Amino acid sequence: MTDVTRRSFLATAAAGAAAGSLPAPTFAIRRLRAPVAVASGNGLQAVQIAVQRMGEGWRPVDAAVAGVSVVEDDPEDDSVGLGGLPNEEGVVELDACVMDGPSGLAGAVAALQNIKNPAQVALKVMRHTDHVLLVGEGALRFARAYGFVEQNLLTERSRKKWLEWRERRSAVDKWVAPDENGEHGREWFDQYKHKTGTIHLGAVAPNGDVGSCTTTSGLAFKIPGRVGDSPLIGCGNYCDNEVGTGGATGRGEACILINGGSFVVQQMALGKSPTDACLEAAKRVARTTKVRRLLDAKGRPAFQVQFYATDKNGRIGAAALYAGRYALCDENGPRHADFASLYDEPVK
Ligand code: ASP
């Protein structure tokens, strides 16, 4: 039943119930309300744009991509798109995915080089193919065919940071000897281990339709070909039009291992509020992180993961392992808010 027919059915049912001929409906009539969006802390402008676009009637997934494109275009944000920090060979590889509530479809690209707006390419994958995920050279050829312009994404700023990392890499790379996963894990110091960024954006339109998007340059100085959670549907991003949106930023490996985005949405489907759903995901990360190299002296995860959620009714929530801030926009405008967090302090 479409919204309109469902609404008129409910109106008829309510009138009938008043006349004593039909039972009263047991579920509420959905009202039109203000669009809302949630995003990572770097998404203040993005949530504002997404909400504006939904107010103009845009589909949430398109509004989400319009919002994150501004961050992808920003050379100063070294976690996304142009100026994103490169892999260990100095090559920028971008990951992104989109998901559309009304159709239940998704599109994604991973390890995409030379195209600054991977979220827009992911939208094309969703709309013009029967696939969900394209990677590497195939994703690049696909983007080229749809007219995306290739450019060098390594800015002077990110190139210098890469060179600086390379000069010290022996202590801070991403390689692990198998015995380091055991009880005698090495002291796992990595000055760049929190050098992650990414933008996730979840959006709810006035009619309750949802859409979402995550885009990133991934973990700084990753092993070439490494794919994080951001382009994986159900991990860095997920939505269900009957429930809401769920997404993540931070250590992608941890989010993949708990299927974070879909876990958050499942928690809401089971009745949790958006914030509590995100907190459950953070707890699950803490509970399932076991190897010593990933734990601090107190036995807590030595990294940050942030989760974001919106539900169909326009409620917004976010939670993280450690303290921090996220961005949201509703009828009161764009602003930052504090994460609910498992641990009070910021990540070290
Ligand atoms: N989740 C991203 C990744 O692992 C990085 C981040 O969000 O900071 O690729």
Side-chain angles (χ1 to χ4, degrees):
M1 199 181 282
T2 66
D3 263 4
V4 176
T5 52
R6 182 167 162 269
R7 256 196 295 277
S8 42
F9 165 77
L10 289 172
T12 313
S21 56
L22 278 171
T26 52
F27 47 98
I29 296 173
R30 194 191 296 159
R31 285 183 298 121
L32 292 184
R33 61 183 86 77
V36 303
V38 67
S40 35
N42 55 348
L44 197 60
Q45 202 189 348
V47 286
Q48 184 174 21
I49 291 169
V51 161
Q52 265 165 10
R53 294 288 179 270
M54 287 187 285
E56 293 159 10
W58 286 38
R59 210 173 169 94
V61 68
D62 293 305
V65 171
V68 303
S69 294
V70 174
V71 186
E72 290 175 333
D73 289 345
D74 179 2
E76 297 300 310
D77 189 318
D78 64 15
S79 67
V80 181
L82 179 65
L85 288 173
N87 65 23
E88 65 174 20
E89 291 173 0
V91 178
V92 180
E93 290 185 329
L94 304 179
D95 299 334
C97 74
V98 300
M99 191 154 184
D100 175 54
S103 66
L105 293 176
V109 289
L112 175 66
Q113 297 180 12
N114 297 348
I115 306 286
K116 75 176 162 55
N117 297 113
Q120 294 176 19
V121 183
L123 257 188
K124 296 276 185 207
V125 172
M126 181 179 87
R127 296 223 161 101
H128 297 279
T129 79
D130 186 36
H131 303 316
V132 170
L133 173 61
L134 298 181
V135 304
E137 179 59 26
L140 178 58
R141 291 217 294 266
F142 173 86
R144 254 188 227 134
Y146 279 90
F148 287 88
V149 176
E150 284 184 73
Q151 69 184 99
N152 180 11
L153 302 178
L154 196 65
T155 56
E156 268 309 283
R157 189 161 166 265
S158 53
R159 190 177 63 82
K160 282 191 180 130
K161 286 192 182 174
W162 167 61
L163 290 175
E164 188 187 308
W165 166 80
R166 198 172 65 167
E167 285 157 12
R168 302 167 195 212
R169 63 183 293 173
S170 56
V172 295
D173 65 25
K174 304 289 180 251
W175 296 91
V176 176
D179 63 352
E180 288 170 338
N181 278 329
E183 203 187 327
H184 303 293
R186 68 178 172 184
E187 279 312 301
W188 203 66
F189 172 73
D190 178 348
Q191 75 182 93
Y192 289 105
K193 82 181 163 195
H194 305 305
K195 192 67 201 118
T196 54
T198 305
I199 176 164
H200 165 75
L201 197 150
V204 187
N207 67 353
D209 280 348
V210 303
S212 53
C213 169
T214 302
T215 177
T216 190
S217 52
L219 199 57
F221 318 124
K222 58 195 171 188
I223 295 171
R226 176 267 187 187
V227 171
D229 59 324
S230 307
L232 301 183
I233 293 297
C235 297
N237 181 24
Y238 193 70
C239 74
D240 178 331
N241 218 42
E242 300 306 311
V243 183
T245 69
T249 58
R251 181 177 157 80
E253 283 72 9
C255 180
I256 292 171
L257 291 169
I258 68 151
N259 289 186
S262 115
F263 182 84
V264 166
V265 172
Q266 292 296 330
Q267 290 293 313
M268 290 192 289
L270 292 171
K272 291 264 195 280
S273 71
T275 301
D276 285 346
C278 292
L279 265 177
E280 287 302 318
K283 283 184 203 158
R284 192 172 164 95
V285 169
R287 185 170 62 72
T288 56
T289 302
K290 299 176 196 284
V291 295
R292 203 187 129 201
R293 68 183 169 83
L294 294 174
L295 299 171
D296 71 8
K298 294 183 180 163
R300 307 176 304 186
F303 54 81
Q304 173 71 310
V305 187
Q306 300 101 335
F307 295 98
Y308 313 86
T310 59
D311 73 10
K312 247 195 115 47
N313 297 316
R315 288 190 301 170
I316 294 171
L321 292 172
Y322 293 90
R325 312 202 86 195
Y326 67 100
L328 73 152
C329 187
D330 55 16
E331 68 273 21
N332 298 317
R335 59 198 183 277
H336 280 116
D338 290 331
F339 285 117
S341 65
L342 285 192
Y343 315 116
D344 289 342
E345 69 271 26
V347 69
K348 287 205 194 71

